[in-house]
Amino acid sequence: MRKHLKLISIFLKMELRNKAFLVPSFVFPLLMLTLMSVAGSKDGAREGMTYASFLTPGILCMAYAAVALVAIPVMLSSYREKGLLRSFKTSELSMSSIIFAIIVSQLVFMVLQTVLLLAFAHFVLQAEFNLIPASWMAIPVVLIGLFSLLSFGFSISSFLPTSRSATMVGNLSNLVAIFLGGVFFPTDVWPSFIQPIIWINPLTWIIEALRKSVLYGTMELANMCIELGVLFAIGVVCFFLALKLFKYE
């Protein structure tokens, strides 16, 4: 157990020291939230709330997708090119332990993202959130959704030999997940043949849980049991797919 915790700590420290990783994960979401909040505030409130409040869940989901679908594939491809992953091949840790440690370290990173962005929106941009006791029920939905998203990002990185290909495929996956996840448009505007993709997109349920919890205060975990099962199934399938396809070099 101690070895696993140490490995998680190593991966987390590596990412926190990576300036190229911190820009899309922290700096860009904060800058985008600030600029869009200032521009949108001229149109007044949206659905009875400030524009900064309305924007925050969507910007959070964009930050999550940037980490899981762009940063993770690029990071792993870069580590593979530099031979860093090869050093783990001779360790006593199994491949599943290494993949699990990376996913857990990124979950911790995403929790830091969430706290920072919500605090910035509230204290700097004066965003107001409708938090009630039931809002805490969004936590398992978001965590399982992030696990699914990270596992998917990990699985696609197994197909990408170079950081250049990882950047191209990661950005494309990121755009598809964001546009079909309801970040910019309601999901019902898309044709019926796209709806199954929307339904298995983790971002769809993450942003719904965030909006119901921090904006509207209507979060009910009992009504999302099927979605939780789908998210967990996607995460498990992608995790084992990544495990089967993972390459050290």
Side-chain angles (χ1 to χ4, degrees):
M1 184 63 179
R2 185 178 298 176
K3 290 181 179 179
H4 290 81
L5 291 175
K6 187 175 181 179
L7 189 60
I8 292 170
S9 175
I10 289 172
F11 281 119
L12 184 60
K13 288 178 181 177
M14 288 173 69
E15 294 315 307
L16 290 175
R17 292 171 182 169
N18 187 351
K19 295 180 181 178
F21 184 73
L22 294 178
V23 170
S25 304
F26 284 116
V27 179
F28 182 71
L30 293 175
L31 182 61
M32 190 170 183
L33 179 60
T34 302
L35 293 176
M36 292 181 70
S37 297
V38 172
S41 62
K42 297 179 180 179
D43 295 330
R46 294 289 182 92
E47 299 182 16
M49 64 188 73
T50 63
Y51 197 61
S53 306
F54 182 78
L55 279 175
T56 300
I59 299 296
L60 253 179
C61 282
M62 289 178 62
Y64 295 153
V67 171
L69 302 178
V70 181
I72 287 287
V74 172
M75 175 191 76
L76 290 174
S77 299
S78 176
Y79 288 172
R80 195 175 288 121
E81 287 176 330
K82 294 176 181 178
L84 294 176
L85 292 179
R86 196 182 305 123
S87 61
F88 290 110
K89 196 174 184 179
T90 57
S91 68
E92 299 177 0
L93 292 169
S94 63
M95 192 182 297
S96 59
S97 298
I98 295 171
I99 294 175
F100 183 74
I102 295 176
I103 289 177
V104 172
S105 68
Q106 298 307 312
L107 278 174
V108 173
F109 188 86
M110 286 171 158
V111 170
L112 294 175
Q113 266 186 318
T114 305
V115 172
L116 177 63
L117 210 125
L118 288 177
F120 182 84
H122 179 67
F123 292 108
V124 178
L125 302 177
Q126 306 301 310
E128 298 176 356
F129 302 120
N130 187 21
L131 297 177
I132 59 173
S135 299
W136 295 102
M137 289 189 286
I139 293 176
V141 180
V142 173
L143 287 179
I144 294 176
L146 292 179
F147 167 71
S148 301
L149 202 62
L150 286 166
S151 296
F152 180 72
F154 214 113
S155 64
I156 65 174
S157 70
S158 303
F159 297 96
L160 308 170
T162 65
S163 55
R164 182 176 181 180
S165 61
T167 301
M168 293 173 60
V169 175
N171 280 315
L172 179 60
S173 302
N174 183 31
L175 287 173
V176 171
I178 289 173
F179 276 97
L180 298 185
V183 173
F184 296 118
F185 312 104
T187 55
D188 56 8
V189 303
W190 301 104
S192 58
F193 68 89
I194 296 181
Q195 292 302 318
I197 301 175
I198 293 171
W199 209 78
I200 63 172
N201 180 4
L203 273 188
T204 303
W205 308 113
I206 294 173
I207 195 165
E208 180 178 342
L210 285 172
R211 283 172 175 161
K212 286 183 176 179
S213 58
V214 301
L215 294 186
Y216 308 122
T218 59
M219 184 66 200
E220 293 183 12
L221 191 58
N223 293 338
M224 296 194 72
C225 289
I226 296 177
E227 290 82 357
L228 276 171
V230 171
L231 285 173
F232 185 72
I234 293 171
V236 169
V237 169
C238 289
F239 180 84
F240 283 104
L241 183 63
L243 184 62
K244 185 175 180 61
L245 299 173
F246 186 77
K247 297 177 182 177
Y248 289 101
E249 51 189 338

